[in-house]
Amino acid sequence: MKKNLIVAALALGLAACFPEEGSVLSKAHADNAPAASVAPIQRGLPDFADLVEKVSPAVVNISVDQTIQADDDDGNPFAGDPFFDFLRRFGVPGPGPGFPPNHPSVPRTRQGIGSGFIVSSDGYVLTNAHVVGDSKAEVTVKLSDKREFKAKLIGIDRRTDIAVVKIDAGNLPTVVIGDPNSARVGEWVAAIGSPFGFEHSVTAGIISAKARRLPDENFVPFIQTDVAINPGNSGGPLFDLNGRVIGINSQIYSRSGGFMGISFAIPIDVAMKVKNQLVQHGRVQRGRLGVYIQGVDPELASSFGLNAPRGALVAQVEPNGAAARAGLKPGDIVLKVDGREVNESNELPRLIGDKQPGSKIKLEIWREGKSRETVAVLDEMPQEEAAQSPSGQDKGSRDKLGLNLRPLNAREAAQLGVPSGLVVETASGQAARVGLRNGDVILSLNNQLVTSPAQFRQLAEKAGKRFALLIQRGDARLFVPFKLD
């Protein structure tokens, strides 16, 4: 009897912990609970099987054979290796120049793999520019039904890392273009590509962030995901759960060379704008305002009288450029372009670049504590500013000198006490051999002040194979003799 009472008491105690629906405790808890503000969370993981079966036929494998010279890769003997190319693309250092010794300076063939997808039934294929290399490369497209075609390179845009190739075939399966702007952080996405040559491999994850800005990237608001991307995935499509392409898988962040949970895709709306121009004109035409800009932090916003940090601060105005003709001055803050707000400084190059040369734009700027409007007529962004022209013939000074440069911003120039200069972001090849280092500031070339990478290239080409650079390294200034091999 005593044992039964203990069991009954225990049962009552447990029942008190789990009140029945309609009980006083349950009702009180419900009365005090906050109102639901989001839709109920769905349990379980999505099934990608139907999606993959539907969209896979429009995904292709791309293989590339390219003949290159040894010195096309800054003297690194491993630069022709596909895995090294992948590591270099994503910022992983490789073996230095001169290892192993006696590396032959002879032409060799670089073989690469990548992915792409068909955007029109008559054979236009989208992929990454770094997958196809240049116009000298031989590109082969392999379809899901095992047919292979030699592809014609229609055009390359290295600023956005987009390339368009064409195969001679008809009635091809195509992808459906989605809207990356309506995609939300946290949504499931899937990638299909050829990692390490394993064709039509599927990986999945979620959107981690949107509108990411990467170093040296001014024209692409990347979609960040945690989808596994590896060598060979580049150029492949990123699908939403409706089977629509919302991006092109392009880059990863890695400290080891392998996937570490952070990958980046080019939004498909950016890619399609580039594709249309490459098909129609063979190149991409972009507007140019002619300013050097920097971000606006809370301290700068306060000093300029802005109620919040926003816009793009004009650090320098190019003489005779569109901004100069419109009356812009250093210290102006660009707040809007044709009514679209500029919340971050990196948004301005994209907004201007989307406009056609010669078009009129209305700028809202902040000057002397007041907002005012002005109209600018845009110039065209020179094609030679790209890392390499689509023809592959004009390699530019970066290839010859091994320098990646950016202008000093206004704050840096003030700290150094100089009117202008160029920061060495990377020094490789010949630049590294003459002793230039990352972080050096180039002040002049043959005693002529340098103000922009484009002007620096012009001075270097005019100077020939020998010239002297005045640089600032820390608190010291020194001349560096530069001799081209």
Side-chain angles (χ1 to χ4, degrees):
M1 182 68 177
K2 183 177 181 181
K3 182 177 179 181
N4 292 338
L5 288 174
I6 293 174
V7 172
L10 181 59
L12 287 172
L14 291 173
C17 294
F18 302 98
E20 296 180 359
E21 185 178 355
S23 68
V24 174
L25 182 58
S26 177
K27 184 175 185 303
H29 177 75
D31 289 342
N32 293 328
S37 57
V38 296
I41 298 176
Q42 296 181 354
R43 305 285 181 185
L45 297 175
D47 185 349
F48 291 97
D50 290 339
L51 182 154
V52 172
E53 183 178 355
K54 176 183 177 182
V55 302
S56 283
V59 182
V60 303
N61 169 262
I62 294 178
S63 58
V64 179
D65 291 320
Q66 182 180 7
T67 301
I68 60 172
Q69 298 293 327
D71 57 0
D72 280 351
D73 289 292
D74 302 328
N76 197 310
F78 290 95
D81 182 81
F83 190 63
F84 172 79
D85 293 338
F86 171 76
L87 297 183
R88 184 178 64 173
R89 172 69 182 166
F90 300 131
V92 180
F99 181 86
N102 302 322
H103 171 63
S105 180
V106 295
R108 61 181 182 273
T109 299
R110 171 190 292 166
Q111 295 178 324
I113 55 173
S115 305
F117 52 98
I118 305 169
V119 292
S120 66
S121 60
D122 57 348
Y124 284 100
V125 175
L126 270 183
T127 186
N128 282 145
H130 76 266
V131 169
V132 301
D134 58 34
S135 62
K136 299 176 183 178
E138 184 178 284
V139 180
T140 302
V141 173
K142 186 177 181 180
L143 307 185
S144 61
D145 61 10
K146 307 303 181 183
R147 287 185 294 166
E148 295 188 7
F149 297 88
K150 295 298 182 184
K152 176 185 177 183
L153 180 60
I154 300 301
I156 294 175
D157 182 55
R158 298 195 181 278
R159 288 189 177 99
T160 55
D161 195 21
I162 296 296
V164 180
V165 299
K166 175 82 163 54
I167 60 176
D168 187 12
N171 298 318
L172 296 171
T174 63
V175 297
V176 177
I177 303 300
D179 179 12
N181 297 310
S182 63
R184 300 169 62 199
V185 174
E187 286 186 352
W188 283 95
V189 285
I192 303 179
S194 304
F196 301 105
F198 295 104
E199 300 170 12
H200 284 80
S201 296
V202 183
T203 52
I206 63 168
I207 297 175
S208 304
K210 294 175 64 178
R212 285 293 196 209
R213 181 179 183 269
L214 304 184
D216 300 326
E217 300 281 1
N218 291 321
F219 297 97
V220 180
F222 286 94
I223 302 170
Q224 179 185 330
T225 76
D226 66 353
V227 178
I229 300 298
N230 285 292
N233 274 115
S234 289
L238 183 72
F239 292 100
D240 64 15
L241 283 180
N242 294 312
R244 299 169 301 195
V245 176
I246 61 170
I248 301 179
N249 299 307
S250 175
Q251 301 189 37
I252 66 170
Y253 175 83
S254 176
R255 292 181 176 176
S256 65
F259 174 68
M260 295 183 67
I262 300 178
S263 54
F264 299 97
I266 303 163
I268 193 62
D269 57 342
V270 173
M272 291 303 289
K273 289 178 182 177
V274 171
K275 175 257 180 186
N276 292 336
Q277 289 209 50
L278 290 176
V279 171
Q280 294 174 14
H281 309 295
R283 64 188 182 94
V284 179
Q285 296 175 312
R286 290 186 173 91
R288 180 181 178 87
L289 186 58
V291 293
Y292 296 104
I293 59 173
Q294 67 181 88
V296 180
D297 59 23
E299 291 183 2
L300 284 172
S302 178
S303 65
F304 282 101
L306 272 176
N307 58 358
R310 56 195 175 98
L313 176 59
V314 177
Q316 184 178 339
V317 179
E318 292 183 350
N320 305 317
R325 296 194 300 269
L328 267 65
K329 303 176 181 178
D332 289 344
I333 299 176
V334 181
L335 301 177
K336 292 182 181 180
V337 177
D338 284 340
R340 292 187 60 180
E341 292 189 357
V342 180
N343 295 309
E344 301 287 343
S345 60
N346 62 301
E347 295 174 3
L348 183 62
R350 293 200 297 269
L351 291 174
I352 298 299
D354 281 344
K355 307 290 185 180
Q356 286 295 300
S359 59
K360 290 184 178 181
I361 60 168
K362 184 183 295 185
L363 299 173
E364 182 180 330
I365 63 172
W366 184 265
R367 179 188 294 173
E368 298 175 353
K370 295 180 181 179
S371 175
R372 62 184 70 193
E373 289 187 347
T374 186
V375 174
V377 179
L378 296 179
D379 298 324
E380 181 175 358
M381 186 173 292
Q383 295 296 309
E384 60 267 19
E385 287 193 359
Q388 184 172 335
S389 65
S391 67
Q393 295 175 350
D394 181 10
K395 298 179 65 176
S397 66
R398 179 177 176 181
D399 289 330
K400 292 187 294 185
L401 306 182
L403 285 171
N404 185 16
L405 305 171
R406 70 165 176 84
L408 286 171
N409 61 41
R411 179 179 294 179
E412 292 168 335
Q415 289 174 346
L416 294 176
V418 296
S420 62
L422 301 175
V423 179
V424 177
E425 295 196 313
T426 58
S428 56
Q430 186 65 18
R433 287 192 284 273
V434 301
L436 289 176
R437 305 175 187 172
N438 298 355
D440 287 346
V441 178
I442 300 176
L443 302 176
S444 68
L445 187 153
N446 285 352
N447 292 323
Q448 290 185 267
L449 294 177
V450 292
T451 59
S452 71
Q455 180 235 10
F456 178 85
R457 283 195 293 270
Q458 293 173 356
L459 292 176
E461 290 172 1
K462 190 179 296 183
K465 292 190 174 184
R466 290 176 179 269
F467 48 86
L469 300 178
L470 176 62
I471 69 167
Q472 179 144 345
R473 180 177 294 163
D475 296 327
R477 291 188 181 183
L478 66 153
F479 281 97
V480 175
F482 208 115
K483 179 183 177 182
L484 286 174
D485 292 336

